Structures are given as C-alpha cells and as structure tokens.
Amino acid sequence: MKTIAVVLFQDLLLLDVSGPVEVFSIANRYLEPDCQYQITTIGSDGLSVRASNSMTLAADMSIEQVSGSFDVLLVPGGPGAYNQHDPALDCWLSKMFSHVGRLVSICTGAFILGKAGLLDGRHVTTHWNYTERLAKQFPRAQVETDRIFIRDGNLYTSGGVTSGIDLALSIVEEDHGKAIALAVAKVLLVVMTRQGGQMQFSPLVADVAKDDTPVFRVRNYVLENLAEDLNVERMASLASMSARHFTRLFSRELNMTPMEFVQSARIDSARRLLETSDLPLKTVAYRSGFGSARRMRHLFVERLGLPPSQYRRQFS
C-alpha cells in the first residue's frame, strides 16, 4: 500500500488538495487492496483549517503527531503559502524530506518548500503568475516558467491549480503503469498529457507601462503599432539612440531583447484576437504584425506548443 500525506494550512487553495486526492482515490477503484493509496491529512497549525474559499477542512493529525514516513508528501498552494510563514512547518518539512519517497508541491505550495530550504539547486516551477516572485525570493532555485510539472530527483513541483491533477496522474503512472493512469484520466475527463505548457495561459508581456523613460515609451509604441515593420533600428530611432546602446538598455530594463519583445507582443495580440473574434487566421496574422499565417503558426508552435487553430478551439 502506498501512503499519501497532504499538508493542510490556513488559507490554502482547496482545489490544490481535492484535485490530486481525487486522482489517487479514483485510482484505488482499479487497484488491488494491498496496492491502493492510503490518504492522510496533516494539519500544520491544529486540526482545523479554513481554505481560501472559506470552506473548513479537518486534518487527521497534526505535524506533532506524525511518526514514520510516507511514500508521497503533498504540499498544496494558496494565499497562505506565500503570504504566511510557519517556522514550525519549515522545520518539520526539512526533517521529513529524507523520510518521504516523493515530496510534491502543487501550484504556489513551492513557496512553502522554499521557506523550508528545499528548493536550493533544484529545477522547480509554480503557477505562471508567481514564477518571477518565486525566483526572486529563492534565487538558488532554478525556476522554469513554462512547465506543467517538473521532477527533480524526489522533489516534484507543479504549475497552477489543475496541474496538480496532471502531476498526480504522472505519479499513478509511475506506480502502476499507463493503463491505470489513463483509466483515471478518463473518469476525470482530462487528458493524460497536455499539449504545450503554462505559456498557453500566461501573457508573454505585461500591460502598457506608464514609466516615462525612452525604453518604456518605445515599448508602449510597439504595443500600439504591432503591424508596423518593427526592427531594432526603427525602435532605436524612436528612442534617439544607437541600435547597440538601445538594445543593451532595453535588455537590461525588460530582461529580453527588443526583437524578443516584439515577437512576444505579437503573439499576445494574436491570442486576444483568436480568443475574441472569428477573424480568418490571415487577418489575425496581418493585424498582429506577423505578415503571414504561416509565420504566425511557426511562432505559436515554437513558443506555445500548439498552432493558432488549436489555440482558438481551446480558448475561444
């Protein structure tokens, strides 16, 4: 029998708990009794916690009552994961790490692992909206922005919310094979492997900035004039700089080259049109500055992992 322990804390995201737990629970329907998952909940601060949606959960035991080890120790995310700090939980997790087969974080649960010092030197991920914050708060972690989930040794981290289901399915597949995992996925009406990563859901560039500097004025001009022929020389002239100096300054302030920014902005523009209109792909490509539907398709597949036509089907 495989033992699964789920850490509960105040202001957690309930779906980060219920999604993975349902995967393991449904898997039990297809497994012999001695191969099933035994699920336990552990309270980090007493036995009763209130989730971010105001529902109350009761833990089976507190961290002080835990003895022995677990095959999987799962840490969910939620506002309590990144807005609160529980030194007792940090200490307990750091001690438990060597006593669990797999330590798993869902969504922003990675922040709890980081506070416990467990992300140092590891390749990890979290919800796309928090990857930059995670990287800044834990600079020794190797934060990847586009992965649905990552396994680094016995440490597993996942992206936002429902990616916990993807990660739990992968654990079931590791333990019991693809046929069982696929059966569970069919019950939950989800796919075994998503096409593409978190970039399908996250904007590649932020909204128009209000900073009154040459770089940000050019940045905002680009966002408002994507159909123009926007090369480095053109952008540099708008900033009254040499191309070399502009590129260096732009890259330093925005952490991407000018042409990377243009490409990302055009993809975001095309995504909005695909989501909100029935315009032909050629028109979407022209209005977003790609020049051709073929060029737009190439960049969509390269950056988002799926072509524009499939993106429209999924998100419109």
Side-chain angles (χ1 to χ4, degrees), residues 221-242:
Y221 181 90
V222 167
L223 292 174
E224 295 167 2
N225 299 274
L226 288 170
E228 289 189 12
D229 181 14
L230 296 166
N231 54 38
V232 174
E233 289 71 21
R234 167 64 174 151
M235 289 185 280
S237 69
L238 291 170
S240 301
M241 299 178 188
S242 69

Side-chain angles (χ1 to χ4, degrees), residues 38-108:
Q38 182 182 51
I39 302 167
T40 301
T41 53
I42 301 171
S44 66
D45 181 21
L47 298 180
S48 178
V49 302
R50 186 175 292 274
S52 59
N53 64 0
S54 297
M55 294 188 69
T56 299
L57 301 178
D60 296 316
M61 65 181 74
S62 67
I63 57 176
E64 292 82 10
Q65 296 172 316
V66 173
S67 61
S69 61
F70 301 100
D71 292 300
V72 176
L73 179 59
L74 189 149
V75 180
Y82 48 84
N83 287 333
Q84 301 170 16
H85 187 201
D86 184 347
L89 179 58
D90 295 346
C91 182
W92 182 78
L93 283 172
S94 63
K95 290 179 180 178
M96 287 296 297
F97 191 30
S98 61
H99 299 289
V100 297
R102 287 164 287 200
L103 180 60
V104 175
S105 72
I106 308 301
C107 193
T108 52

Side-chain angles (χ1 to χ4, degrees), residues 69-269:
S69 61
F70 301 100
D71 292 300
V72 176
L73 179 59
L74 189 149
V75 180
Y82 48 84
N83 287 333
Q84 301 170 16
H85 187 201
D86 184 347
L89 179 58
D90 295 346
C91 182
W92 182 78
L93 283 172
S94 63
K95 290 179 180 178
M96 287 296 297
F97 191 30
S98 61
H99 299 289
V100 297
R102 287 164 287 200
L103 180 60
V104 175
S105 72
I106 308 301
C107 193
T108 52
F111 283 86
I112 292 178
L113 301 190
K115 293 169 189 175
L118 301 176
L119 300 185
D120 292 355
R122 300 288 191 132
H123 289 269
V124 300
T125 193
T126 188
H127 189 284
W128 60 264
N129 199 39
Y130 295 89
T131 50
E132 184 176 355
R133 179 173 174 177
L134 187 72
K136 289 181 178 179
Q137 190 167 341
F138 307 106
R140 294 185 179 181
Q142 303 297 313
V143 180
E144 300 190 24
T145 60
D146 192 38
R147 298 285 294 277
I148 296 297
F149 62 85
I150 295 175
R151 174 184 178 181
D152 188 336
N154 67 334
L155 181 70
Y156 296 60
T157 55
S158 62
V161 193
T162 57
S163 64
I165 294 174
D166 300 71
L167 178 49
L169 284 170
S170 77
I171 291 174
V172 171
E173 183 176 3
E174 286 180 10
D175 292 342
H176 303 289
K178 187 172 183 178
I180 298 294
L182 182 58
V184 176
K186 287 180 178 179
V187 171
L188 293 172
L189 298 179
V190 297
V191 297
M192 273 288 294
T193 305
R194 301 194 203 194
Q195 183 175 354
Q198 292 197 72
M199 282 188 183
Q200 295 176 23
F201 304 92
S202 63
L204 300 183
V205 298
D207 294 333
V208 175
K210 299 179 180 179
D211 305 59
D212 191 22
T213 67
V215 165
F216 279 92
R217 285 197 295 272
V218 171
R219 175 189 185 280
N220 294 343
Y221 181 90
V222 167
L223 292 174
E224 295 167 2
N225 299 274
L226 288 170
E228 289 189 12
D229 181 14
L230 296 166
N231 54 38
V232 174
E233 289 71 21
R234 167 64 174 151
M235 289 185 280
S237 69
L238 291 170
S240 301
M241 299 178 188
S242 69
R244 182 177 181 182
H245 179 59
F246 174 76
T247 298
R248 183 168 58 249
L249 195 61
F250 192 101
S251 300
R252 187 176 68 202
E253 292 193 21
L254 297 183
N255 295 315
M256 64 177 76
T257 69
M259 293 314 299
E260 286 172 343
F261 176 81
V262 171
Q263 183 186 95
S264 296
R266 283 174 170 161
I267 291 173
D268 279 352
S269 172

